[in-house]
Amino acid sequence: MLLLTETLLRTSERTRRKYATHWRHIACDEFQDTNSVQYQLLALLGRDHQNIFVVGDADQGIYGWRGAQVGNILAFNQD
């Protein structure tokens, strides 16, 4: 489901804008446990407004076994 959603938002600008304007502010808790697809979803939805608030602690990442990438938290400010 996540992969299809990310593909849709990445390939259909009309659909991405529809949902990006629906949510002008995005909050993501436990950000250290996001995987690359979840990170891309946040980036696609937050691209226009750049109002994304994340909470996480790189020392508490526990879901590496299911694809979570603690590096997402380190790259957030740059992106």
Coordinates of all heavy atoms in Angstrom, one line a residue:
M1 N 0.8 -1.2 0.0 CA 0.0 0.0 0.0 C 0.9 1.3 0.0 O 0.6 2.2 -0.7 CB -0.9 0.0 1.2 CG -2.0 1.0 1.1 SD -3.3 1.0 2.3 CE -3.0 -0.2 3.4
L2 N 1.9 1.3 0.8 CA 2.8 2.4 0.8 C 3.5 2.6 -0.5 O 3.6 3.8 -1.0 CB 3.9 2.3 2.0 CG 3.4 2.4 3.4 CD1 4.5 2.1 4.4 CD2 2.8 3.8 3.6
L3 N 4.0 1.5 -1.1 CA 4.7 1.7 -2.4 C 3.8 2.2 -3.5 O 4.2 3.1 -4.2 CB 5.2 0.3 -2.8 CG 6.4 -0.2 -2.0 CD1 6.7 -1.6 -2.4 CD2 7.6 0.7 -2.2
L4 N 2.5 1.7 -3.5 CA 1.6 2.2 -4.5 C 1.3 3.7 -4.3 O 1.1 4.5 -5.2 CB 0.3 1.4 -4.6 CG 0.5 0.0 -5.1 CD1 -0.8 -0.8 -4.9 CD2 1.0 -0.1 -6.5
T5 N 1.1 4.1 -3.0 CA 0.8 5.5 -2.7 C 2.0 6.4 -3.1 O 1.8 7.4 -3.7 CB 0.5 5.6 -1.2 OG1 -0.6 4.8 -0.9 CG2 0.1 7.1 -0.9
E6 N 3.2 6.0 -2.8 CA 4.3 6.8 -3.1 C 4.5 6.9 -4.6 O 4.8 8.0 -5.1 CB 5.6 6.1 -2.5 CG 6.9 7.0 -2.6 CD 7.6 6.7 -3.9 OE1 7.5 5.7 -4.5 OE2 8.4 7.6 -4.3
T7 N 4.3 5.8 -5.3 CA 4.4 5.8 -6.8 C 3.3 6.8 -7.4 O 3.6 7.6 -8.3 CB 4.2 4.4 -7.4 OG1 5.2 3.6 -6.9 CG2 4.2 4.4 -8.9
L8 N 2.1 6.7 -6.9 CA 1.0 7.6 -7.4 C 1.4 9.1 -7.1 O 1.3 9.9 -8.0 CB -0.3 7.3 -6.7 CG -1.5 8.2 -7.0 CD1 -1.8 8.1 -8.5 CD2 -2.7 7.8 -6.1
L9 N 1.8 9.4 -5.9 CA 2.1 10.8 -5.6 C 3.4 11.3 -6.4 O 3.5 12.4 -6.8 CB 2.4 11.0 -4.1 CG 1.2 10.7 -3.2 CD1 1.5 10.9 -1.8 CD2 0.0 11.7 -3.6
R10 N 4.3 10.4 -6.7 CA 5.5 10.8 -7.4 C 5.2 10.9 -8.9 O 5.8 11.8 -9.5 CB 6.6 9.7 -7.2 CG 7.9 10.0 -7.8 CD 9.0 9.0 -7.4 NE 8.6 7.6 -7.2 CZ 8.4 6.7 -8.2 NH1 8.6 7.0 -9.4 NH2 8.0 5.5 -7.9
T11 N 4.3 10.2 -9.4 CA 4.1 10.2 -10.9 C 2.9 11.1 -11.3 O 2.8 11.4 -12.5 CB 3.9 8.8 -11.4 OG1 2.7 8.2 -10.8 CG2 5.1 7.9 -11.2
S12 N 2.0 11.4 -10.4 CA 0.8 12.2 -10.7 C 0.9 13.5 -9.9 O 0.5 13.6 -8.7 CB -0.5 11.5 -10.4 OG -1.6 12.3 -10.5
E13 N 1.4 14.6 -10.6 CA 1.5 15.9 -9.9 C 0.1 16.4 -9.5 O 0.0 17.0 -8.4 CB 2.1 16.9 -10.9 CG 2.4 18.2 -10.2 CD 3.4 18.2 -9.1 OE1 4.1 17.2 -8.9 OE2 3.3 19.2 -8.3
R14 N -0.9 16.1 -10.3 CA -2.3 16.5 -9.9 C -2.7 15.9 -8.6 O -3.3 16.6 -7.7 CB -3.2 16.2 -11.0 CG -4.6 16.6 -10.7 CD -5.5 16.2 -11.9 NE -6.9 16.7 -11.7 CZ -7.9 16.2 -12.2 NH1 -7.8 15.2 -13.1 NH2 -9.1 16.6 -11.9
T15 N -2.5 14.6 -8.4 CA -2.9 13.9 -7.2 C -2.0 14.4 -6.0 O -2.5 14.6 -4.9 CB -2.7 12.4 -7.4 OG1 -3.5 12.0 -8.5 CG2 -3.1 11.6 -6.2
R16 N -0.7 14.5 -6.3 CA 0.2 15.0 -5.2 C -0.3 16.3 -4.7 O -0.4 16.6 -3.5 CB 1.6 15.1 -5.7 CG 2.6 15.4 -4.5 CD 3.9 15.9 -5.0 NE 3.8 17.2 -5.7 CZ 3.7 18.4 -5.0 NH1 3.6 18.4 -3.7 NH2 3.6 19.5 -5.7
R17 N -0.6 17.3 -5.6 CA -1.1 18.6 -5.2 C -2.4 18.6 -4.4 O -2.6 19.3 -3.5 CB -1.2 19.5 -6.4 CG 0.1 20.0 -6.8 CD 0.0 21.1 -7.9 NE 1.3 21.5 -8.4 CZ 1.5 22.2 -9.4 NH1 0.4 22.7 -10.0 NH2 2.7 22.5 -9.8
K18 N -3.3 17.7 -4.9 CA -4.6 17.6 -4.2 C -4.4 17.2 -2.7 O -5.0 17.8 -1.8 CB -5.4 16.5 -4.9 CG -6.7 16.2 -4.2 CD -7.5 15.0 -4.8 CE -8.7 14.7 -4.0 NZ -9.5 13.6 -4.6
Y19 N -3.5 16.2 -2.4 CA -3.3 15.8 -1.0 C -2.4 16.8 -0.3 O -2.6 17.0 0.9 CB -2.9 14.4 -1.0 CG -4.0 13.5 -1.3 CD1 -4.1 12.9 -2.6 CD2 -5.0 13.2 -0.4 CE1 -5.1 12.1 -2.9 CE2 -6.0 12.3 -0.7 CZ -6.1 11.8 -2.0 OH -7.1 11.0 -2.3
A20 N -1.4 17.3 -1.0 CA -0.5 18.3 -0.3 C -1.2 19.5 0.1 O -0.9 20.1 1.2 CB 0.6 18.7 -1.3
T21 N -2.2 20.0 -0.6 CA -3.0 21.2 -0.2 C -4.0 20.8 0.9 O -4.5 21.7 1.6 CB -3.7 21.8 -1.4 OG1 -4.6 20.9 -2.0 CG2 -2.7 22.4 -2.4
H22 N -4.4 19.5 0.9 CA -5.3 19.1 2.0 C -4.7 19.1 3.4 O -5.3 19.5 4.3 CB -5.8 17.7 1.7 CG -6.8 17.1 2.6 ND1 -8.2 17.5 2.6 CD2 -6.7 16.2 3.6 CE1 -8.8 16.9 3.5 NE2 -8.0 16.1 4.2
W23 N -3.4 18.8 3.4 CA -2.7 18.8 4.7 C -1.6 19.8 4.6 O -0.5 19.6 4.0 CB -2.1 17.4 5.0 CG -3.1 16.4 5.3 CD1 -4.0 16.4 6.3 CD2 -3.3 15.2 4.5 NE1 -4.8 15.2 6.2 CE2 -4.4 14.5 5.1 CE3 -2.8 14.7 3.3 CZ2 -4.9 13.3 4.6 CZ3 -3.3 13.5 2.8 CH2 -4.3 12.9 3.5
R24 N -1.8 21.0 5.2 CA -0.8 22.1 5.1 C 0.3 21.9 6.2 O 1.4 22.4 6.1 CB -1.4 23.4 5.3 CG -2.3 23.8 4.1 CD -2.9 25.2 4.3 NE -3.6 25.5 3.1 CZ -3.1 26.3 2.1 NH1 -1.9 26.7 2.3 NH2 -3.8 26.6 1.1
H25 N 0.0 21.1 7.2 CA 1.0 20.8 8.3 C 1.0 19.3 8.5 O -0.1 18.7 8.6 CB 0.6 21.5 9.6 CG 0.6 23.0 9.5 ND1 -0.5 23.7 9.0 CD2 1.5 24.0 9.7 CE1 -0.2 25.0 9.0 NE2 1.0 25.2 9.4
I26 N 2.2 18.8 8.6 CA 2.3 17.3 8.8 C 3.2 17.1 10.1 O 4.2 17.7 10.2 CB 3.0 16.7 7.6 CG1 2.1 16.9 6.4 CG2 3.2 15.2 7.8 CD1 2.8 16.5 5.1
A27 N 2.7 16.2 10.9 CA 3.5 15.8 12.1 C 3.8 14.4 12.0 O 2.9 13.6 11.7 CB 2.7 16.1 13.4
C28 N 5.0 14.0 12.3 CA 5.4 12.6 12.3 C 6.2 12.3 13.6 O 7.2 12.8 13.8 CB 6.3 12.3 11.1 SG 6.9 10.6 11.0
D29 N 5.6 11.4 14.4 CA 6.2 10.9 15.6 C 7.0 9.7 15.3 O 6.8 9.0 14.3 CB 5.1 10.7 16.7 CG 5.7 10.5 18.1 OD1 6.9 10.8 18.3 OD2 5.0 10.1 19.0
E30 N 8.0 9.4 16.2 CA 8.8 8.2 16.0 C 9.6 8.2 14.6 O 9.7 7.2 14.0 CB 8.0 6.9 16.2 CG 7.4 6.8 17.5 CD 8.3 6.8 18.7 OE1 9.5 6.4 18.6 OE2 7.9 7.1 19.8
F31 N 10.0 9.4 14.2 CA 10.6 9.5 12.9 C 11.8 8.7 12.7 O 12.2 8.3 11.6 CB 11.0 11.0 12.7 CG 11.4 11.4 11.4 CD1 10.6 11.3 10.3 CD2 12.7 11.8 11.1 CE1 11.0 11.6 9.0 CE2 13.1 12.1 9.8 CZ 12.3 12.0 8.8
Q32 N 12.5 8.3 13.8 CA 13.7 7.5 13.7 C 13.4 6.1 13.1 O 14.2 5.3 12.7 CB 14.5 7.3 15.0 CG 13.8 6.4 16.0 CD 12.7 7.1 16.8 OE1 12.4 8.3 16.6 NE2 12.1 6.4 17.8
D33 N 12.1 5.7 13.2 CA 11.7 4.4 12.7 C 11.0 4.4 11.3 O 10.4 3.5 10.9 CB 10.7 3.8 13.7 CG 11.5 3.4 15.0 OD1 12.6 2.9 14.9 OD2 10.9 3.5 16.1
T34 N 11.2 5.5 10.6 CA 10.6 5.6 9.2 C 11.5 4.8 8.3 O 12.7 4.8 8.4 CB 10.4 7.0 8.7 OG1 11.7 7.7 8.8 CG2 9.4 7.7 9.6
N35 N 10.9 4.2 7.2 CA 11.7 3.6 6.2 C 11.7 4.6 5.0 O 11.2 5.7 5.0 CB 11.1 2.3 5.8 CG 9.7 2.3 5.3 OD1 9.3 3.3 4.6 ND2 8.9 1.3 5.6
S36 N 12.4 4.2 3.9 CA 12.6 5.1 2.8 C 11.3 5.5 2.1 O 11.1 6.7 1.7 CB 13.6 4.6 1.8 OG 13.1 3.3 1.3
V37 N 10.3 4.6 2.0 CA 9.1 4.9 1.4 C 8.3 5.9 2.2 O 7.7 6.9 1.7 CB 8.2 3.6 1.1 CG1 6.9 4.0 0.6 CG2 9.0 2.7 0.2
Q38 N 8.3 5.7 3.5 CA 7.6 6.7 4.4 C 8.2 8.0 4.4 O 7.5 9.1 4.4 CB 7.6 6.1 5.9 CG 6.7 4.9 6.0 CD 7.0 4.2 7.3 OE1 8.1 4.1 7.8 NE2 6.0 3.6 7.9
Y39 N 9.5 8.1 4.3 CA 10.2 9.3 4.2 C 9.9 10.0 2.9 O 9.6 11.2 2.9 CB 11.7 9.1 4.2 CG 12.6 10.3 4.4 CD1 12.9 10.9 5.6 CD2 13.1 10.9 3.2 CE1 13.6 12.0 5.7 CE2 13.9 12.0 3.3 CZ 14.2 12.6 4.6 OH 15.0 13.7 4.7
Q40 N 9.8 9.3 1.8 CA 9.4 9.9 0.5 C 8.0 10.4 0.5 O 7.7 11.5 -0.1 CB 9.6 8.9 -0.6 CG 11.1 8.7 -1.0 CD 11.8 10.0 -1.4 OE1 11.3 10.8 -2.1 NE2 12.9 10.2 -0.8
L41 N 7.1 9.7 1.2 CA 5.7 10.2 1.3 C 5.7 11.5 2.0 O 5.0 12.4 1.6 CB 4.8 9.2 2.0 CG 4.4 7.9 1.2 CD1 3.8 6.9 2.2 CD2 3.5 8.3 0.1
L42 N 6.4 11.6 3.1 CA 6.4 12.9 3.8 C 7.0 14.0 3.0 O 6.5 15.1 2.9 CB 7.3 12.8 5.1 CG 6.7 12.0 6.2 CD1 7.7 11.7 7.3 CD2 5.5 12.7 6.8
A43 N 8.1 13.7 2.2 CA 8.7 14.7 1.4 C 7.8 15.1 0.2 O 7.7 16.3 -0.1 CB 10.0 14.1 0.8
L44 N 7.1 14.2 -0.4 CA 6.1 14.5 -1.4 C 5.0 15.4 -0.9 O 4.6 16.4 -1.6 CB 5.6 13.3 -2.1 CG 6.6 12.5 -3.0 CD1 6.1 11.1 -3.3 CD2 6.8 13.3 -4.3
L45 N 4.4 15.0 0.2 CA 3.3 15.7 0.7 C 3.7 17.1 1.3 O 2.9 18.0 1.3 CB 2.5 14.9 1.8 CG 1.8 13.7 1.2 CD1 1.3 12.8 2.4 CD2 0.7 14.1 0.3
G46 N 4.9 17.2 1.8 CA 5.3 18.5 2.4 C 6.1 19.4 1.5 O 6.5 20.5 1.9
R47 N 6.3 19.0 0.3 CA 7.2 19.8 -0.6 C 6.7 21.2 -0.8 O 7.5 22.1 -0.7 CB 7.2 19.1 -2.0 CG 8.0 19.8 -3.0 CD 7.9 19.3 -4.4 NE 8.1 17.9 -4.5 CZ 7.7 17.2 -5.6 NH1 7.2 17.8 -6.6 NH2 7.9 15.9 -5.6
D48 N 5.4 21.5 -1.0 CA 5.0 22.8 -1.3 C 5.0 23.7 0.0 O 5.5 24.9 -0.1 CB 3.5 22.8 -1.8 CG 3.5 22.0 -3.1 OD1 4.5 21.9 -3.8 OD2 2.4 21.5 -3.4
H49 N 4.5 23.3 1.1 CA 4.4 24.1 2.3 C 5.6 24.0 3.2 O 5.8 24.9 4.0 CB 3.2 23.7 3.1 CG 1.9 23.8 2.3 ND1 1.4 25.0 1.9 CD2 1.1 22.9 1.8 CE1 0.3 24.9 1.2 NE2 0.1 23.6 1.1
Q50 N 6.4 23.0 3.1 CA 7.5 22.7 3.9 C 7.2 23.0 5.4 O 8.0 23.6 6.2 CB 8.7 23.6 3.5 CG 9.1 23.3 2.1 CD 10.3 24.1 1.6 OE1 10.9 24.9 2.4 NE2 10.8 23.8 0.4
N51 N 6.1 22.4 5.8 CA 5.6 22.5 7.2 C 5.5 21.1 7.8 O 4.5 20.6 8.1 CB 4.3 23.2 7.3 CG 4.4 24.7 7.1 OD1 5.4 25.3 7.4 ND2 3.3 25.2 6.5
I52 N 6.7 20.5 7.9 CA 6.7 19.1 8.5 C 7.4 19.2 9.8 O 8.5 19.7 10.0 CB 7.5 18.1 7.6 CG1 6.8 18.1 6.2 CG2 7.6 16.8 8.2 CD1 7.6 17.2 5.2
F53 N 6.8 18.6 10.8 CA 7.3 18.6 12.2 C 7.6 17.1 12.5 O 6.6 16.3 12.5 CB 6.3 19.2 13.2 CG 6.8 19.2 14.6 CD1 7.7 20.1 15.1 CD2 6.4 18.2 15.5 CE1 8.1 20.1 16.4 CE2 6.8 18.2 16.8 CZ 7.7 19.1 17.2
V54 N 8.8 16.8 12.8 CA 9.1 15.4 13.2 C 9.7 15.3 14.6 O 10.3 16.2 15.1 CB 10.1 14.7 12.2 CG1 9.5 14.7 10.8 CG2 11.4 15.4 12.2
V55 N 9.4 14.2 15.2 CA 9.9 13.9 16.6 C 10.6 12.5 16.5 O 10.0 11.6 16.0 CB 8.7 13.9 17.6 CG1 9.3 13.5 19.0 CG2 8.0 15.2 17.6
G56 N 11.8 12.5 17.0 CA 12.5 11.2 17.0 C 13.8 11.3 17.7 O 14.3 12.4 18.0
D57 N 14.4 10.2 18.0 CA 15.6 10.1 18.7 C 16.5 9.0 18.0 O 16.1 7.8 18.0 CB 15.4 9.8 20.1 CG 16.7 9.7 20.9 OD1 17.8 9.7 20.4 OD2 16.6 9.6 22.2
A58 N 17.6 9.4 17.4 CA 18.4 8.5 16.6 C 18.9 7.3 17.5 O 19.1 6.2 17.0 CB 19.6 9.2 16.0
D59 N 19.0 7.5 18.8 CA 19.4 6.5 19.7 C 18.3 5.5 20.1 O 18.6 4.5 20.7 CB 20.0 7.1 21.0 CG 21.3 7.8 20.8 OD1 22.0 7.5 19.9 OD2 21.5 8.8 21.5
Q60 N 17.1 5.7 19.6 CA 16.0 4.8 19.9 C 15.4 4.1 18.7 O 14.3 3.5 18.8 CB 14.8 5.6 20.6 CG 15.2 6.2 22.0 CD 14.1 6.8 22.6 OE1 12.9 6.8 22.2 NE2 14.3 7.5 23.7
G61 N 16.1 4.1 17.6 CA 15.6 3.4 16.5 C 15.6 1.9 16.7 O 16.7 1.3 17.0
I62 N 14.5 1.2 16.6 CA 14.4 -0.2 16.9 C 13.8 -1.0 15.8 O 13.7 -2.2 15.9 CB 13.5 -0.5 18.2 CG1 12.1 0.1 18.0 CG2 14.2 0.2 19.4 CD1 11.1 -0.3 19.1
Y63 N 13.5 -0.4 14.7 CA 12.8 -1.1 13.6 C 13.7 -1.3 12.4 O 13.2 -1.4 11.2 CB 11.5 -0.5 13.2 CG 10.5 -0.7 14.3 CD1 10.1 0.3 15.1 CD2 9.9 -2.0 14.5 CE1 9.1 0.1 16.1 CE2 9.0 -2.2 15.5 CZ 8.6 -1.1 16.3 OH 7.7 -1.3 17.3
G64 N 15.0 -1.4 12.5 CA 15.9 -1.6 11.4 C 15.6 -2.9 10.7 O 15.8 -3.0 9.5
W65 N 15.2 -3.9 11.4 CA 14.8 -5.2 10.8 C 13.7 -5.1 9.9 O 13.5 -6.0 9.0 CB 14.5 -6.2 12.0 CG 13.4 -5.8 12.9 CD1 13.6 -5.0 14.0 CD2 12.0 -6.1 12.7 NE1 12.3 -4.8 14.6 CE2 11.4 -5.5 13.8 CE3 11.3 -6.7 11.8 CZ2 10.0 -5.5 14.0 CZ3 9.9 -6.8 12.0 CH2 9.3 -6.2 13.1
R66 N 12.9 -4.1 9.9 CA 11.8 -3.9 8.9 C 12.0 -2.8 8.0 O 11.0 -2.3 7.4 CB 10.4 -3.9 9.6 CG 10.2 -2.6 10.4 CD 8.7 -2.5 10.8 NE 8.5 -1.1 11.1 CZ 7.4 -0.7 11.7 NH1 6.6 -1.5 12.2 NH2 7.2 0.6 11.9
G67 N 13.2 -2.3 7.9 CA 13.5 -1.3 6.9 C 13.7 0.1 7.4 O 13.9 1.0 6.6
A68 N 13.5 0.3 8.7 CA 13.6 1.7 9.2 C 15.1 2.1 9.0 O 16.0 1.4 9.2 CB 13.2 1.7 10.7
Q69 N 15.2 3.4 8.7 CA 16.5 4.0 8.4 C 16.8 5.2 9.4 O 16.2 6.2 9.1 CB 16.7 4.4 7.0 CG 16.6 3.2 6.0 CD 16.6 3.7 4.6 OE1 16.5 4.8 4.3 NE2 16.7 2.7 3.7
V70 N 17.6 5.0 10.4 CA 17.8 6.0 11.3 C 18.5 7.2 10.6 O 18.3 8.4 11.0 CB 18.8 5.5 12.5 CG1 19.1 6.7 13.4 CG2 18.0 4.4 13.3
G71 N 19.1 7.0 9.5 CA 19.7 8.1 8.7 C 18.7 9.1 8.2 O 19.0 10.3 7.9
N72 N 17.4 8.7 8.2 CA 16.4 9.7 7.8 C 16.4 10.9 8.7 O 16.2 12.0 8.3 CB 15.0 9.0 7.8 CG 14.8 8.0 6.6 OD1 15.6 8.0 5.7 ND2 13.8 7.2 6.7
I73 N 16.5 10.6 10.0 CA 16.5 11.7 11.0 C 17.7 12.7 10.8 O 17.6 13.9 11.0 CB 16.3 11.2 12.4 CG1 15.8 12.3 13.3 CG2 17.7 10.7 12.9 CD1 15.3 11.7 14.6
L74 N 18.8 12.1 10.4 CA 20.0 12.9 10.2 C 19.9 13.7 8.9 O 20.5 14.8 8.8 CB 21.2 12.0 10.2 CG 21.4 11.1 11.4 CD1 22.6 10.1 11.2 CD2 21.6 12.0 12.7
A75 N 19.2 13.2 7.9 CA 19.1 13.9 6.6 C 18.0 14.9 6.6 O 17.8 15.7 5.6 CB 18.9 12.9 5.5
F76 N 17.1 14.9 7.6 CA 15.9 15.7 7.5 C 16.1 17.2 7.3 O 15.5 17.8 6.5 CB 15.1 15.5 8.8 CG 13.8 16.3 8.8 CD1 12.7 15.9 8.0 CD2 13.7 17.4 9.6 CE1 11.5 16.6 8.0 CE2 12.5 18.2 9.6 CZ 11.4 17.8 8.8
N77 N 17.0 17.8 8.1 CA 17.3 19.2 8.0 C 17.8 19.6 6.6 O 17.5 20.6 6.1 CB 18.3 19.7 9.1 CG 17.6 19.9 10.4 OD1 16.4 20.0 10.5 ND2 18.4 19.8 11.5
Q78 N 18.7 18.7 6.1 CA 19.2 19.0 4.7 C 18.1 19.0 3.7 O 18.1 19.8 2.8 CB 20.3 18.0 4.4 CG 20.9 18.2 3.1 CD 22.0 17.1 2.7 OE1 22.3 16.3 3.6 NE2 22.5 17.2 1.5
D79 N 17.3 18.0 3.8 CA 16.2 17.8 2.8 C 15.2 18.9 2.9 O 14.6 19.4 2.0 CB 15.5 16.5 2.9 CG 16.4 15.4 2.4 OD1 17.5 15.6 1.8 OD2 16.1 14.2 2.7

